[in-house]
Structure formats: C-alpha cells, structure tokens
Amino acid sequence: MKSVSVNGRNYALPNKPLVVICCDGSEPDYMEIAMQAGLMPNLQRIVAKGDNLRALSAMPSFTNPNNMSIATGALPKVHGIGGNYLIDPATGLETMMNDPKWLTAGTIFAAFHHAGAKVCVVTAKDKLRLLLGHGLNFDGKAICFSSERADKATLKDNGIEEVLDFVGKALPDVYSADLSEFVFAAGVKLLKRDRPDLMYLSTTDYVQHKFAPGSAGAHSFYQMMDGYLGALDAADCSLIIVADHGMKDKHLANGSPDVIYLQDAMDTKFGLGKTRVILPITDPYVVHHGALGSFAQIYLYGPYVEEAANFIKAQDGIDAVLTRAEAVARFGLYAERCGDLIVVSGGPRHSKVIGTSAAKHDLTGLDAPLRSHGGLSEQVVPFISNVKLKSLPQPLHNWDAFYVGCNCVETL
Ligand SMILES: [Zn+2]
C-alpha cells in the first residue's frame, strides 16, 4: 500500500506514525495564552519547528459532526452526522444519532486498516467510539476504545484489553479533566508500544465548557496536556493538533445564560404543535451546557417558511436563518436530515444560545456561567503541527487534518 482513497481524496501512507489530536472545544486562545504564560514549553518547541495555523470547523460547530468530518475528511453531507440528535426522517421521531447506522461514509481509519495499516483510535466519551470505530476489524491491527469505558475494553470489541493496567491510571469520571488526560496517556503508551501508522486522540470539552482561556482551570488542563505533547513529540511522529470547535462565553453580565427559548417564542407566535425546534447538541451528557448551543433545526407543520424565517430573523442575536437548500449549499449539511429552517445564533458578543422551552432545560447542573458552541464564531480552531507543512488546502479545515498529515508534510 502506498496510498488509499477515501471519500474522493487520496491519502499517502505516512512514513512515520501520524498522530492527530482533536482537543475538544479548544478555542485558539486557550493554547496561545497558556504558551504566553510559559505553561506549555513543549508546545512552544513544537510550533517553533512546525506550524501554528488556524482552520475552520464544519458546521454545526458541534462535537460529533466535526469528529466525523475529521475521521472521514469530508463534510456532514457526505458522512451524514449533523449532530447528536435529530428527527428521524423515516419515523418523524426525535432520536439520538450515535448509532453507526446514521453514518453514510467510510472513515479514513477503516480505509487504511483494510489496506493493511495499523490504526489506533482513543476517544474520551463512549458516544463517539462506535462511530469512529465503524468498519474496523479488531484482528490485531486496529484498536478503538473510550476512556469512559476503558475498564470494559476487550480484544474482540476494542482490539485491546486490561487498558487501565496498560495506561497505568484509574478509570476516570465522565465529568472530569481526567477523562481527557486518560486519552493522552493512552496515546503515548500506544505510540511507543505499537507504532501505529495512524492514531486519533479525541478528548472531551468538560474543562472548556467550564473555564475560559487564561483562567486557572484552563491553565491546569493545558499544562497537563503539554506534558503529553512533549512525550508524543519525543516518540518520533508527525503530530497535528486541531479542535472540533471553539468555545465562547454564552452568558449575560449577571452570569445567567444568554438564551432565546425559541420553541416558546414560536409556540406563542404560531400555536402549539405548529413548529418543532430541535437542538442537535442534546445528548445524555448535558450537565455542563444544559443542551444550550448556538444552532438549531426548525421543523414547520403549518407556518410558511418565509413567515417563520422572518419571525426568527427578527429575534435578538440571530446570525443566520437558512432554508434547507441554503444550509446544504452553505454548510454542506445532509439535506434529508435537516429541518425546514436552520438557525444560527450569536449576535455581536457571540453569546446568544438557542433553547427549546424554558421548562425543558435543566440548568441546575451549571455550576459556572454558560460557555458553549455551535455557531459561526466557534468555527475557528487551532491547526498546529510539529512538522512544517506545504501545499495546504485553502481554506484550511479541521477535517483536513489527516489529509495534511498524509500529503502536506515538508520532507527535509
Ligand atoms: Zn466538542
């Protein structure tokens, strides 16, 4: 094997292990401010010899769509994953989207694996594991597990067992920085032991939802991460660090969430049952964001599209209201899984988030002022490498990470 073709792009087999880190919710300022504060000496060394660029995420700027874009090198219209949550076009029912049946494209990992390469995928939350690992056979040349369920990993289902012993850490809590640290620690061990051709390490944004760039909570996370970046870099690999999306303050000066309860507003205007607001950020782990983000799908059962669009546009803090066709053209969304309207919020301070009905959002778990994502302002992410890059795709996207690592590394 010299190269593989995946979703219309060719990927050359890297001549040394290619490690892509998706640091969940890593707004560019997190690493920049931590570097300026002298807390990331390894990253400083890495960017001095490599590149420190910016890229755009896919829309919506949520975790699953972007992880799957990175894993497939393609937009949601190709891989089918537009969020955590959707209305199933076949049944009309609201449903979670973490089952691989929703995937409409193969991953880069599966393509390399079937061509004989060794691939390792470690993700923080188990919700992504089945999607990222889809198409892998655990026959000795593939590993895919989550830190959330590291204690349950088996050779048959994950290509590895006794993970806690191997990594040398206890099972982390699902709401903790440790969940991400476990991913990094596992990555360092796997790189040294297995020398995989491709490795993908995907963390969780628990810390980024809670702590702004430059805060003590953020700094301690990035200081921790820096130690692992140093270990990965020292183990002779091409390293690319991206994020699935950025993260912004989404609260008012008094600390309460800056939210528009769009279902309530639509019910008042058009009547109960005439519209349905779907928030694709919704998942079983909503404690740290209360299911509030800057992106929504709207289904209409009565009002005309134009009337509804004009009503939503007139609300405070709305950045874009697009028809399905417009959203497919502008964002590369998967048409059959879109509502009649796609709404992106933000406003001048990028702070507006969309809720359904006030009564449906449990915000009691929010122990810090809301930070979240999903909008246009969270599309800007870091694109950092420990090697010099050339001939980059323009504009550069986070989902170019494997393409760039395979095809755009400058060889000295
Ligand atoms: Zn995320």
Side-chain angles (χ1 to χ4, degrees):
M1 171 198 23
K2 285 224 162 61
S3 73
V4 299
S5 178
V6 192
N7 301 319
R9 288 175 123 181
N10 286 318
Y11 295 77
L13 180 70
N15 57 10
K16 60 179 165 185
L18 168 59
V19 180
V20 171
I21 293 175
C22 176
C23 186
D24 196 329
S26 203
E27 181 72 25
D29 272 357
Y30 282 111
M31 285 187 258
E32 289 302 324
I33 295 175
M35 275 197 282
Q36 281 160 23
L39 301 173
M40 300 193 83
N42 290 310
L43 184 60
Q44 261 175 311
R45 206 170 31 74
I46 285 167
V47 301
K49 64 176 174 161
D51 276 312
N52 183 5
L53 309 173
R54 295 292 173 265
L56 290 172
S57 82
M59 281 294 282
S61 49
F62 287 138
T63 300
N64 286 13
N66 276 283
N67 268 274
M68 294 325 296
S69 282
I70 293 167
T72 59
L75 285 165
K77 70 179 175 190
V78 175
H79 61 69
I81 306 296
N84 303 329
Y85 198 71
L86 84 165
I87 289 188
D88 183 341
T91 63
L93 298 175
E94 298 182 26
T95 181
M96 289 294 300
M97 206 181 195
N98 47 10
D99 190 297
K101 75 174 185 185
W102 297 105
L103 256 183
T104 52
T107 68
I108 299 163
F109 316 131
F112 270 99
H113 171 59
H114 289 293
K118 170 129 204 177
V119 300
C120 294
V121 177
V122 186
T123 168
K125 286 182 184 172
D126 204 61
K127 71 174 179 184
L128 264 173
R129 179 185 53 86
L130 286 176
L131 291 172
L132 291 171
H134 190 59
L136 297 179
N137 298 327
F138 298 106
D139 55 2
K141 296 201 88 177
I143 288 174
C144 178
F145 66 93
S146 69
S147 29
E148 181 181 351
R149 291 173 63 89
D151 59 331
K152 306 274 195 313
T154 62
L155 281 174
K156 178 175 154 286
D157 293 331
N158 309 92
I160 189 169
E161 59 187 358
E162 309 292 348
V163 172
L164 300 185
D165 284 349
F166 172 62
V167 176
K169 286 191 170 297
L171 187 72
D173 187 90
V174 69
Y175 293 112
S176 72
D178 296 344
L179 199 71
S180 294
E181 177 166 3
F182 196 96
V183 174
F184 293 130
V188 171
K189 296 268 184 181
L190 288 169
L191 179 59
K192 288 182 178 165
R193 187 189 77 175
D194 294 0
R195 304 291 297 160
D197 297 293
L198 257 63
M199 182 154 75
Y200 184 53
L201 305 175
S202 182
T203 66
T204 172
D205 55 10
Y206 167 83
V207 165
Q208 289 78 7
H209 271 288
K210 245 178 160 48
F211 302 109
S215 64
H219 275 345
S220 76
F221 179 87
Y222 285 93
Q223 219 170 352
M224 171 278 286
M225 178 172 161
D226 192 67
Y228 293 102
L229 295 181
L232 291 168
D233 182 52
D236 191 28
C237 65
S238 298
L239 179 62
I240 293 183
I241 306 159
V242 295
D244 51 350
H245 53 79
M247 186 76 72
K248 294 275 198 295
D249 283 342
K250 302 286 184 183
H251 56 83
L252 302 166
N254 69 6
S256 63
D258 187 7
V259 54
I260 172 171
Y261 289 106
L262 196 53
Q263 187 71 69
D264 286 344
M266 301 283 281
D267 287 351
T268 304
K269 170 76 178 172
F270 299 109
L272 279 176
K274 297 293 186 195
T275 64
R276 189 133 53 136
V277 176
I278 296 291
L279 306 177
I281 194 173
T282 307
D283 74 4
Y285 318 76
V286 297
V287 172
H288 51 309
H289 52 64
L292 295 170
S294 290
F295 187 94
Q297 300 269 8
I298 318 292
Y299 290 80
L300 303 173
Y301 309 102
Y304 292 112
V305 168
E306 200 180 331
E307 187 189 8
N310 288 337
F311 174 74
I312 298 168
K313 276 179 199 161
Q315 309 295 310
D316 201 30
I318 300 297
D319 287 350
V321 181
L322 306 173
T323 63
R324 180 183 295 127
E326 288 167 345
V328 169
R330 178 165 166 191
F331 298 142
L333 300 184
Y334 192 95
E336 292 76 12
R337 297 174 188 171
C338 281
D340 298 292
L341 291 172
I342 285 80
V343 180
V344 186
S345 66
R349 295 170 47 247
H350 314 301
S351 59
K352 188 69 80 183
V353 286
I354 301 167
T356 54
S357 304
K360 286 200 173 157
H361 290 267
D362 179 7
L363 305 182
T364 54
L366 280 181
D367 53 5
L370 181 67
R371 294 173 53 71
S372 195
H373 52 98
L376 300 170
S377 62
E378 293 84 51
Q379 269 193 288
V380 180
V381 295
F383 196 109
I384 294 172
S385 61
N386 70 344
V387 282
K388 284 267 180 246
L389 304 174
K390 57 166 189 188
S391 314
L392 291 170
Q394 292 298 337
L396 185 63
H397 289 96
N398 59 355
W399 44 271
D400 293 318
F402 281 101
Y403 179 85
V404 167
C406 289
N407 302 323
C408 307
V409 172
E410 213 166 86
T411 41
L412 301 173

